[in-house]
Amino acid sequence: MKEYRGFLIDLDGTVYKGTEKIDEAVTFVKQLKDKGFPYLFLTNNSTKHPSDVSDKLNQMGVPSTTDQVFTSSMATAHYIKQQEPNAKVYPVGEKGLHMALEDADLEIVDENADYVVMGLDQTINYEKLAKGALNIRAGATFVATNGDVALPTERGFLPGAGSLISVLSVTTGVEPTFIGKPESIIVDQALEVLGTTRDETLMIGDNYATDILAGINAGIDSLLVHTGVTTKEDLKTIQNKPTYTIDTLAEWTIED
Ligand SMILES: [Mg+2]
């Protein structure tokens, strides 16, 4: 086992399940903190502000500052800022997306947008989709926080961001640029925040299709932990395996 200096850690299914913490993950993150290893929580959840996420983590006993949370909304806002610093943006999403755009000093507009940005919006309605479609048809670039089709909840799998986004792509015939995992865009940005190199960083997550593929696409090693979405059975049919696979984070030894 190689020694890693930096850790990118998924949240749901890896550190907690909905409102329930995963004890082995709590211990794991505490050890990272005690030993002084940089870590960053990397989530496709575009709806929350990083301060809300770090509050939730701290309540669960997982040490986290706001700066240690990196969301697909933040990555999307940074991406647009890099492409066009004075871009006007029409967002379809929740608080986390709106605040990330504001934090990046991007102007939010209803019409004549340079970008239409879409993430999960649990109060989606026809008018929001109509404005999104009109802006894209008028030439706005279509960007999406993440493509997750289903959202795991206590009620079962609900429509995810990707499902809602498909309405706009079907309507306009335009496929968005996706930013969140498994795209390397979000991992590249996260590495800059974390300050470690590709070679010394490990991506940890429960979902092969997002977390592990994000690691593979970005050229960093990956650790699949079977506390969430991807089962051992699922992995059997997958060619390009994670670098490591474990049942819980208690099995992972952190070097000094
Ligand atoms: Mg997960």
Side-chain angles (χ1 to χ4, degrees), residues 115-249:
Y115 286 83
V116 169
V117 184
M118 189 160 176
L120 180 65
D121 186 342
Q122 291 167 104
T123 59
I124 189 75
N125 60 38
Y126 193 84
E127 186 56 19
K128 291 181 187 179
L129 292 167
K131 282 182 183 161
L134 289 171
N135 274 300
I136 293 167
R137 285 193 177 275
T141 304
F142 188 16
V143 180
T145 57
N146 60 301
D148 300 59
V149 173
L151 184 69
T153 74
E154 291 83 356
R155 295 163 68 192
F157 284 98
L158 302 183
S163 302
L164 304 181
I165 288 159
S166 71
V167 176
L168 274 192
S169 34
V170 170
T171 304
T172 59
V174 177
E175 282 293 324
T177 298
F178 288 101
I179 305 295
K181 299 176 285 189
E183 306 302 323
S184 57
I185 300 172
I186 191 168
V187 179
D188 293 344
Q189 291 189 23
L191 286 171
E192 269 181 49
V193 175
L194 196 63
T196 51
T197 64
R198 272 169 218 281
D199 201 41
E200 60 192 8
T201 307
L202 184 65
M203 173 74 221
I204 303 172
D206 69 294
N207 188 336
Y208 182 85
T210 52
D211 306 316
I212 304 306
L213 279 184
I216 291 170
N217 290 338
I220 68 171
D221 286 353
S222 57
L223 169 62
L224 179 76
V225 56
H226 285 305
T227 46
V229 171
T230 301
T231 64
K232 288 178 182 172
E233 200 60 32
D234 296 335
L235 267 192
K236 282 185 187 160
T237 55
I238 289 167
Q239 293 287 316
N240 207 350
K241 305 271 194 239
T243 318
Y244 313 96
T245 304
I246 55 178
D247 287 332
T248 78
L249 282 169

Side-chain angles (χ1 to χ4, degrees), residues 10-14 206-207 211:
D10 171 58
L11 287 174
D12 218 339
T14 302
D206 69 294
N207 188 336
D211 306 316

Side-chain angles (χ1 to χ4, degrees), residues 3-215:
E3 285 181 29
Y4 296 93
R5 312 300 304 170
F7 298 83
L8 298 174
I9 309 169
D10 171 58
L11 287 174
D12 218 339
T14 302
V15 175
Y16 52 70
K17 281 181 161 184
T19 53
E20 252 173 72
K21 64 181 174 178
I22 298 172
D23 290 329
E24 294 89 342
V26 177
T27 307
F28 174 81
V29 178
K30 277 184 184 159
Q31 286 177 343
L32 290 182
K33 185 178 187 241
D34 290 347
K35 296 189 178 188
F37 288 116
Y39 56 93
L40 186 67
F41 297 105
L42 192 59
T43 176
N44 268 5
N45 185 336
S46 66
T47 65
K48 303 272 194 299
H49 191 263
S51 60
D52 299 328
V53 178
S54 67
D55 285 349
K56 174 176 175 171
L57 287 168
N58 283 306
Q59 278 163 19
M60 290 177 166
V62 180
S64 167
T65 63
T66 302
D67 293 344
Q68 285 175 303
V69 177
F70 199 68
T71 70
S72 59
S73 284
M74 295 163 71
T76 303
H78 291 173
Y79 172 82
I80 295 170
K81 193 75 183 172
Q82 279 172 347
Q83 301 286 315
E84 202 177 326
N86 299 313
K88 289 181 280 186
V89 182
Y90 177 68
V92 182
E94 297 188 24
K95 177 187 168 193
L97 180 60
H98 284 257
M99 289 181 80
L101 295 169
E102 283 168 22
D103 288 346
D105 278 326
L106 289 162
E107 188 186 343
I108 293 176
V109 295
D110 271 356
E111 296 177 324
N112 300 317
D114 303 305
Y115 286 83
V116 169
V117 184
M118 189 160 176
L120 180 65
D121 186 342
Q122 291 167 104
T123 59
I124 189 75
N125 60 38
Y126 193 84
E127 186 56 19
K128 291 181 187 179
L129 292 167
K131 282 182 183 161
L134 289 171
N135 274 300
I136 293 167
R137 285 193 177 275
T141 304
F142 188 16
V143 180
T145 57
N146 60 301
D148 300 59
V149 173
L151 184 69
T153 74
E154 291 83 356
R155 295 163 68 192
F157 284 98
L158 302 183
S163 302
L164 304 181
I165 288 159
S166 71
V167 176
L168 274 192
S169 34
V170 170
T171 304
T172 59
V174 177
E175 282 293 324
T177 298
F178 288 101
I179 305 295
K181 299 176 285 189
E183 306 302 323
S184 57
I185 300 172
I186 191 168
V187 179
D188 293 344
Q189 291 189 23
L191 286 171
E192 269 181 49
V193 175
L194 196 63
T196 51
T197 64
R198 272 169 218 281
D199 201 41
E200 60 192 8
T201 307
L202 184 65
M203 173 74 221
I204 303 172
D206 69 294
N207 188 336
Y208 182 85
T210 52
D211 306 316
I212 304 306
L213 279 184

